[in-house]
């Protein structure tokens, strides 16, 4: 028998008695050339064939998580089914998988990784789906029943330094499995997480922690908000998959992680749909963000240093949640149809709005240093939070002062900037609806004074 450059001289009967494929090949081979049977197409190559041949001869065969898939695919190629002979190799391997390897956490992961070189056959044999289900089932087991070995690379707990007994005694964390799944390629990882989610056992926070760990492990520089050089297509696939897998529950992932994803999406030029999904999620928990996290670099070729439009959309999404809702009431007591509109208070707390206002004021100070930033964009961001009252406006003053010093803008833009400042004061005054003409004149005088002083 020949496999490329490898030659085998096995006894025919033991092989023929268990391999339907060899029986067929032998029957169709020229009787004058019966010794030359080509098996170059066998999965796993000569090593896998040798394992199958040893089984046919009754020799001891050693199977492990590393070679079981190759052997199973080779046995399928050779047709070593129960219909050929009872207790054949395929049956033995399937029993070994279900009774041993799939009961082991780490072996299940190793087996899944080894299926990739044998696609699509390993998929057709359901080896991939069986591995994924075994892994997902174990990830969803109650932590009190987790007794197998697993990797957990987070900060060591204090009791871990007190010996093995204390390590054994400590509780298993709910996200004990997230580190090990980071070893999987993104296509398999996606299927495992989807399987875990469909079981509806683990909460969104645990799934969110898993996605965060995978992003940090697989994307170099992701934790620092940058993307190092590498396979751009692969990075884009990972990032977009992580966004697609985000749990629906609010606060299942931190705002910081969402903003890192948004920065990465911008760097790999993902589509608008992905960006919009992240903008909506970030807008729901913007009060958790810091100024540094909002500094999203513009894509290459843009004139401005930061993507101000993206942040503007996030702020608008946040403010949209606070808009008063309307209820239409129909039919009065006499049966006549009427329409009544009732205004309900917004859902955002004053504390949340104040935190966002402070962050945006600091953000304005930073983007004001960009000499290429159009005045309209700076003003639009500033105006988006003017309705939020603050106890002090020092940060906004600094931002406007920085902006006006850096840019050479028109008088009309200066008046708009000063209007933002004045409106922030007036919003705290319930009488701001009755703005007097003298107040408008004072605003104009302040703007003229600033122009004169900075033109000297």
């Amino acid at each position: 028998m020949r496999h490329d450059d490898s030659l085998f001289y096995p006894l025919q009967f033991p092989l023929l008695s268990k391999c339907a494929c060899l029986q067929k090949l032998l029957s169709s081979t020229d009787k004058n050339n019966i010794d030359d049977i080509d098996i170059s197409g066998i999965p796993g190559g000569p090593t896998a064939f040798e394992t199958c041949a040893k089984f046919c001869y009754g020799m001891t065969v050693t199977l492990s998580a590393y070679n079981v898939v190759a052997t199973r695919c080779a046995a399928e190629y050779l047709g070593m089914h129960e219909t050929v002979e009872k207790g054949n190799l395929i049956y033995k391997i399937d029993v070994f998988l279900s009774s041993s390897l799939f009961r082991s956490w780490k072996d299940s992961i190793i087996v899944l990784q080894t299926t990739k070189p044998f696609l699509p056959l390993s998929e057709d044999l359901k080896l991939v789906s069986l591995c994924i289900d075994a892994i997902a089932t174990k990830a969803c087991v109650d932590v009190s029943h987790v007794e197998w070995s697993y990797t957990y690379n987070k900060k060591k707990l204090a009791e871990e330094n007190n010996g093995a007994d204390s390590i054994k005694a400590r509780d298993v964390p709910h996200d004990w499995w997230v580190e090990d799944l980071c070893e999987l390629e993104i296509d398999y990882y996606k299927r495992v997480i989807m399987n875990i989610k469909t079981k509806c056992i683990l909460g969104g926070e645990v799934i969110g922690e898993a996605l965060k760990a995978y992003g940090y492990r697989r994307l170099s520089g992701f934790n620092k908000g940058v993307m190092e050089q590498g396979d751009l297509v692969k990075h884009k696939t990972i990032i977009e998959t992580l966004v697609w897998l985000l749990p629906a529950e609010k606060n299942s992932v931190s705002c910081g992680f969402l903003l890192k994803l948004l920065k990465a999406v911008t760097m790999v030029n993902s589509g608008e749909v992905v960006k919009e999904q992240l903008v909506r999620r970030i807008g729901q928990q913007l009060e958790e963000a810091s100024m540094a996290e909002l500094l999203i670099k513009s894509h290459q070729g843009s004139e401005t240093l930061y993507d101000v439009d993206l942040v503007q959309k996030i702020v608008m999404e946040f403010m949209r949640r606070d808009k008063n809702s309307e209820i239409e009431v129909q039919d009065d007591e006499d049966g006549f149809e009427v329409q009544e509109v009732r205004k309900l208070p917004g859902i955002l707390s004053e504390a949340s709005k104040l935190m966002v206002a402070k962050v945006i004021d600091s953000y304005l100070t930073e983007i004001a240093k960009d000499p290429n930033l159009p005045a309209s964009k700076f003003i639009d961001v500033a105006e988006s939070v003017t309705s939020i009252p603050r106890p002090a406006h020092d940060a906004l003053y600094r931002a406007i002062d920085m902006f006006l010093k850096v840019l050479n803008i028109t008088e009309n833009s200066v008046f708009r900037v000063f209007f933002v400042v004045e409106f922030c004061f007036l919003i705290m005054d319930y009488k701001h609806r009755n703005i007097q003409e003298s107040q408008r004149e004072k605003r104009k005088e302040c703007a003229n004074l600033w122009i004169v002083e900075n033109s000297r």
Side-chain angles (χ1 to χ4, degrees):
M1 290 186 181
R2 175 169 45 84
H3 183 284
D4 294 337
D5 296 333
S6 301
L7 294 175
F8 296 90
Y9 302 96
L11 296 175
Q12 289 185 13
F13 179 74
L15 287 174
L16 291 175
S17 65
K18 292 181 171 62
C19 301
C21 176
L22 294 183
Q23 294 174 13
K24 184 177 180 180
L25 285 174
L26 192 62
S27 63
S28 61
T29 301
D30 185 358
K31 293 183 178 179
N32 297 324
N33 194 24
I34 196 171
D35 294 331
D36 188 13
I37 299 178
D38 186 7
I39 56 170
S40 298
I42 188 170
T47 303
F49 175 74
E50 185 178 354
T51 302
C52 294
K54 285 182 178 180
F55 174 81
C56 294
Y57 297 148
M59 301 172 63
T60 301
V61 174
T62 302
L63 293 178
S64 68
Y66 293 96
N67 70 350
V68 68
V69 173
T71 306
R72 174 65 179 85
C73 291
E76 184 70 24
Y77 177 88
L78 294 172
M80 303 177 73
H81 298 278
E82 287 295 281
T83 53
V84 179
E85 184 174 287
K86 290 292 183 182
N88 215 337
L89 183 56
I90 290 178
Y91 171 77
K92 298 282 189 182
I93 292 176
D94 290 345
V95 171
F96 177 60
L97 284 168
S98 59
S99 63
S100 179
L101 295 184
F102 288 158
R103 293 188 177 186
S104 167
W105 166 250
K106 290 193 173 181
D107 282 344
S108 297
I109 295 175
I110 293 171
V111 173
L112 179 58
Q113 290 174 309
T114 61
T115 61
K116 183 148 287 193
F118 302 100
L119 291 171
L121 180 58
S122 57
E123 188 78 70
D124 296 337
L125 297 177
K126 300 189 183 304
L127 292 174
V128 176
S129 58
L130 288 171
C131 287
I132 289 172
D133 189 65
I135 294 169
T137 300
K138 279 186 167 47
C140 294
V141 167
D142 190 289
V143 292
S144 62
H145 298 149
V146 176
E147 298 176 349
W148 48 81
S149 173
Y150 59 87
T151 302
Y152 196 73
N153 291 329
K154 292 195 170 186
K155 277 187 175 180
K156 289 187 176 182
L157 301 178
E159 61 265 27
E160 291 189 32
N161 298 321
N162 298 327
D165 293 336
S166 60
I167 297 176
K168 188 176 180 180
R170 71 176 175 84
D171 293 335
V172 176
H174 288 280
D175 58 348
W176 61 267
W177 49 271
V178 303
E179 299 281 352
D180 289 318
L181 292 195
C182 293
E183 301 296 330
L184 298 176
E185 293 297 326
I186 189 61
D187 53 344
Y188 282 167
Y189 182 81
K190 176 182 178 180
R191 293 175 63 179
V192 171
I193 295 297
M194 288 175 60
N195 195 307
I196 291 174
K197 291 172 73 173
T198 56
K199 296 182 185 298
C200 300
I201 296 176
L202 297 179
E205 291 185 0
V206 180
I207 302 296
E209 186 64 30
L211 301 180
K212 179 180 177 181
Y214 193 88
Y216 287 175
R217 175 78 71 86
R218 288 285 177 166
L219 300 171
S220 301
F222 178 78
N223 190 29
K224 299 178 182 178
V226 297
M227 292 292 295
E228 296 182 3
Q229 294 294 327
D231 188 341
L232 182 61
V233 175
K234 184 177 181 180
H235 288 171
K236 185 176 181 180
T237 301
I238 292 174
I239 293 164
E240 293 181 353
T241 302
L242 292 179
V243 174
W244 190 83
L245 289 171
L246 286 173
E249 299 92 332
K250 181 185 175 183
N251 296 323
S252 55
V253 292
S254 67
C255 188
F257 177 64
L258 292 173
L259 282 164
K260 285 185 175 67
L261 281 176
L262 186 57
K263 290 179 181 179
V265 162
T266 302
M267 284 183 273
V268 298
N269 294 322
S270 291
E272 290 300 318
V273 175
V274 180
K275 288 184 181 180
E276 289 173 3
Q277 183 179 348
L278 286 172
V279 166
R280 285 194 298 269
R281 291 294 298 267
I282 296 168
Q284 294 176 3
Q285 50 196 95
L286 183 57
E287 63 272 19
E288 302 173 15
S290 67
M291 183 273 292
E293 291 171 334
L294 289 175
L295 295 175
I296 303 171
K297 292 287 185 68
S298 297
H299 57 80
Q300 291 183 350
S302 177
E303 293 183 358
T304 57
L305 181 60
Y306 300 108
D307 195 334
V308 179
D309 293 334
L310 206 52
V311 174
Q312 170 75 2
K313 290 179 182 179
I314 294 172
V315 177
M316 297 304 293
E317 179 67 27
F318 174 82
M319 296 302 295
R320 185 186 62 80
R321 296 169 54 215
D322 200 47
K323 286 185 177 180
N324 293 336
S325 58
E326 298 182 355
I327 298 180
E328 292 187 358
V329 181
Q330 298 183 355
D331 294 341
D332 63 3
E333 296 178 355
D334 299 324
F336 293 102
E337 183 176 308
V338 296
Q339 288 189 347
E340 180 183 354
V341 180
R342 296 178 182 175
K343 294 285 187 177
L344 297 179
I347 62 174
L348 297 177
S349 67
E350 293 301 320
S352 296
K353 291 190 285 187
L354 181 59
M355 284 189 285
V356 169
K358 288 182 177 179
V359 169
I360 297 303
D361 288 348
S362 300
Y363 175 78
L364 288 168
T365 304
E366 192 63 31
I367 64 173
K369 301 174 184 177
D370 181 6
N372 295 321
L373 179 67
S376 59
K377 291 189 176 184
F378 178 90
I379 295 170
D380 287 344
V381 176
E383 287 181 336
S384 65
V385 291
T386 51
S387 61
I388 302 177
R390 290 89 128 176
H393 296 81
D394 294 348
L396 182 59
Y397 289 151
R398 284 193 295 269
I400 292 175
D401 184 61
M402 174 68 69
F403 177 69
L404 295 177
K405 286 181 178 178
V406 170
L407 295 183
N408 180 23
I409 61 178
T410 64
E411 293 187 19
N412 184 54
S413 295
V414 173
F415 291 142
R416 286 190 64 194
V417 171
F418 275 95
F419 176 78
V420 171
V421 177
E422 183 178 329
F423 188 79
C424 289
F425 270 115
L426 295 176
I427 199 68
M428 294 183 292
D429 185 356
Y430 291 107
K431 299 179 181 179
H432 70 272
R433 296 185 182 89
N434 300 319
I435 301 176
Q436 299 177 357
E437 184 67 27
S438 59
Q439 292 175 312
R440 296 192 183 94
E441 289 299 324
K442 288 180 180 178
R443 181 175 69 236
K444 187 175 181 180
E445 290 175 6
C446 289
N448 284 329
L449 180 60
W450 186 91
I451 294 172
V452 171
E453 289 295 325
N454 284 273
S455 61
R456 291 177 179 177

